[in-house]
Structures are given as structure tokens and as C-alpha cells.
Amino acid sequence: MPFQLKGQTIARSMLDHYLNGSAPPLLILHGPAGVGRFSAAEWFIQSSLCETGNGCGQCPSCRLFARQEHPDYILFPEDRVLIGDEKQPAPFTVRWLIRTRLMYPPFKSERRFILFPRSDLIQNEAETALLKTLEEPPEHSRFMMLVEDLSLLKETIISRGVCVPFHLIPSATMAEITGQSDPYTLDLMGGSLELSSVILDQSFQRLREKIEDGLGHPMGLHELETYVSLEKNFQEWKTHLDKSYEEILDLIGLMILKSSERLPDFPLIAEAVFQLKAGLHKRMAGMTHYHLSRFFARISRILFGH
Ligand SMILES: [Zn+2]
């Protein structure tokens, strides 16, 4: 069982069931971001295509899958899905899918899988064409759609599929998955695996220490400000989390909030953090450092009176 499915008891039993039997024409995996819907879908598809049926990782099919070259796995992009040009539809449009793939049997395996990671971004015409396909699904093709909230999909689509629910992960399970027993880290992850890749990283622990130092004495705060103001210190986080520098700063604000919970000045610090967040959310070019230095000046006044 992949770790992504730990804590997701309903989703796990449903996917296990369909893996051993036959998958329905459309599976809709729904639930909040960062709880493992995408990796669960990929695990399911890899296992279904695998020559030994368990996603062994060794067979030719699994190796193709790992290189993202399996010809019977079609992963649609994470942005808009369009109907495509009538005459010459571009790859990864719905017309392209229907004409150049669904019309034909799979290349290598018994089944072909088509995954839409953001099924809420399928455009109207494309959706209508897909619906027609789903009314009489091609024998050899299986669809999977991911969505955060079912209300973002049309009833007609939902009625053609089987819905597989994902939930935020309970903290006991988060602790087991990530090996973290520390309530600080578990709280910060908030039941989502999205952050676990950086939280388990050494740079996260270092930053956390810097924050504790910064809340303790003025020199520490100055060092923290210098560290946080250098965007390049967070290059790896940006890549791992696929987030902008501003979004990372938002996360750091949350860490400062967590670390100052027990301080008498907590309400004032919280207010400063929320002001920083509000400033960052305005996304005004070149303003990031202005908001940061105002934030640190405020924290310094609150904690050290200057
Ligand atoms: Zn295999």
C-alpha cells in the first residue's frame, strides 16, 4: 500500500477493490489539496498497467511508467482542458484524445488510463464531448478525474462516475507517515502532506531555530530578518512546494505564529503576522521587501520595545 493512502480508509478500500476487479469507466477522486489524491491516482494507474498487477516497479510497464513514457497513460495538463481545433486538434485536447487515442485499442496494455488532475478546469465544449464519450465509454479506456470539491463538477459528469472521497489526514496518521511526533510540525502540516517534503528537511529545522532565537533577543531577530529576506535561501522550498517566494513567506509567517503561541505578546505578534499576510497577498511588484521590513520592525517593537 502506498503511504499516500494511509489514513484514507474509504479511498483505500475502494481503490483496492477496483484494482482487484475491474475499474469503472470513471473514477472521481475528490478532497482537499495535499492529501495524496494525485499520487493515489498514479499508484492506481501504475498498478493497473503493471504486468504483475501490483505496481512492482520492475516490469517493462512499470519502468515505462516511472519514466513517464507509458503509451497507455495519458496525463492531461493541470491547466485548462480545451476541446481542440476541429481540423487539427493540438495534443492533450479532447478532440485529440477522441480521434487519435480513444478510437484505437491501447498500445501496450489491456487498458488505457486518462487522468485529469484538475477536472474543474475542463472547458464547456470539451466537457460536453467528454460526456458523450462517457455515455458509451470505450471498452479499453478508463478515466480518472481529480477535484477538490465535487460541487465544481457538473451533475451529469458526477452521475457517470464513482466518487472516491479523500480527507485531511488525522494527526496520528500524519505522525506515522512523516515520522514526526512533534505537535509543532504536525500542527503546521495541518493534515496535509503538501508541506511534509520541506518540513522533514534540515533547512526547515534551521529556520525554526532561527525563529526561536529571533523571538528571544534583538540580534537573533536581526539575523532572522536577514535570512528570510534572501529569496535564494528558499530556492529548494520553492521547487519542492511549487510555490512562489511570497507564498513561502506566508508559510514562514505561520511558523512565527506557531513559535510565539506561548509568549505574552502573542496577540500583537499575531496581528503583525496577519498584516504581513495581507500585504503579501496584494502581490504588488517590488513591495515584498517593504512588507517584510515593516513586519520585522513591528515585531522588534513588540518584543524589545525598539
Ligand atoms: Zn510492474
Side-chain angles (χ1 to χ4, degrees):
M1 187 220 325
F3 81 90
Q4 299 87 354
L5 281 168
K6 278 197 177 169
Q8 304 292 348
T9 44
I10 304 173
R12 190 179 110 200
S13 61
M14 289 178 81
L15 293 178
D16 271 346
H17 170 77
Y18 290 128
L19 196 57
N20 296 320
S22 182
L26 169 64
L27 283 170
I28 303 171
L29 278 52
H30 64 100
V35 299
R37 284 174 295 133
F38 184 78
S39 22
E42 285 217 311
W43 162 78
F44 182 81
I45 294 170
Q46 183 187 346
S47 306
S48 303
L49 295 172
C50 169
E51 287 163 29
T52 55
N54 57 3
C56 67
Q58 308 295 321
C59 71
S61 180
C62 281
R63 285 205 297 262
L64 281 171
F65 191 92
R67 293 202 302 268
Q68 300 187 322
E69 285 170 5
H70 201 297
D72 299 322
Y73 170 40
I74 301 170
L75 171 62
F76 269 79
E78 275 197 47
D79 47 20
R80 293 183 309 161
V81 173
L82 302 169
I83 179 79
D85 186 68
E86 189 127 21
K87 291 206 180 74
Q88 278 195 312
F92 299 101
T93 57
V94 169
R95 279 198 180 111
W96 165 85
L97 175 73
I98 294 172
R99 289 185 200 164
T100 70
R101 296 294 185 274
L102 299 186
M103 298 274 284
Y104 308 99
F107 291 105
K108 187 173 162 48
S109 306
E110 278 174 39
R111 296 253 185 277
R112 164 193 297 121
F113 284 86
I114 301 118
L115 177 60
F116 295 94
R118 281 293 302 270
S119 55
D120 53 317
L121 298 182
I122 301 174
Q123 304 287 285
N124 268 335
E125 267 186 289
E127 197 177 36
T128 312
L130 269 179
L131 257 173
K132 271 205 195 113
T133 308
L134 288 166
E135 276 166 21
E136 282 177 72
E139 173 55 31
H140 38 65
S141 292
R142 293 290 178 267
F143 293 82
M144 291 182 92
M145 291 184 177
L146 310 186
V147 73
E148 281 193 28
D149 193 329
L150 277 180
S151 67
L152 298 170
L153 291 184
K154 280 213 176 79
E155 276 296 325
T156 39
I157 292 266
I158 299 174
S159 68
R160 307 248 172 265
V162 174
C163 298
V164 183
F166 280 70
H167 308 285
L168 284 177
I169 304 167
S171 52
T173 313
M174 283 301 283
E176 193 190 327
I177 295 174
T178 59
Q180 295 282 314
S181 53
D182 169 29
Y184 178 102
T185 333
L186 289 171
D187 261 16
L188 206 62
M189 289 195 277
S192 157
L193 282 176
E194 204 186 5
L195 293 178
S196 61
S197 57
V198 297
I199 282 182
L200 300 177
D201 194 72
Q202 278 195 340
S203 61
F204 174 83
Q205 294 308 333
R206 220 176 309 135
L207 177 62
R208 191 178 157 187
E209 282 162 24
K210 280 188 196 294
I211 290 175
E212 310 276 344
D213 273 2
L215 296 171
H217 56 95
M219 272 308 288
L221 190 65
H222 179 69
E223 268 179 43
L224 176 65
E225 179 174 359
T226 313
Y227 185 77
V228 167
S229 304
L230 271 180
E231 185 168 349
K232 70 172 167 55
N233 286 336
F234 302 96
Q235 213 50 48
E236 281 196 26
W237 288 31
K238 282 164 62 184
T239 322
H240 282 311
L241 293 173
D242 191 21
K243 287 195 188 309
S244 68
Y245 177 50
E246 284 73 17
E247 286 169 313
I248 302 277
L249 291 176
D250 208 87
L251 171 65
I252 295 171
L254 214 60
M255 291 175 72
I256 294 176
L257 205 61
K258 262 324 282 167
S259 294
S260 55
E261 253 171 4
R262 276 182 211 88
L263 298 178
D265 288 321
F266 176 71
L268 292 173
I269 296 174
E271 208 187 298
V273 170
F274 293 132
Q275 270 170 357
L276 171 69
K277 276 164 136 351
L280 294 174
H281 278 280
K282 286 190 196 130
R283 295 288 157 86
M284 297 220 338
M287 291 295 276
T288 302
H289 284 97
Y290 166 76
H291 290 305
L292 261 185
S293 60
R294 267 184 54 154
F295 170 72
F296 278 103
R298 208 169 266 150
I299 295 288
S300 169
R301 257 194 319 275
I302 296 169
L303 289 173
F304 314 115
H306 56 80

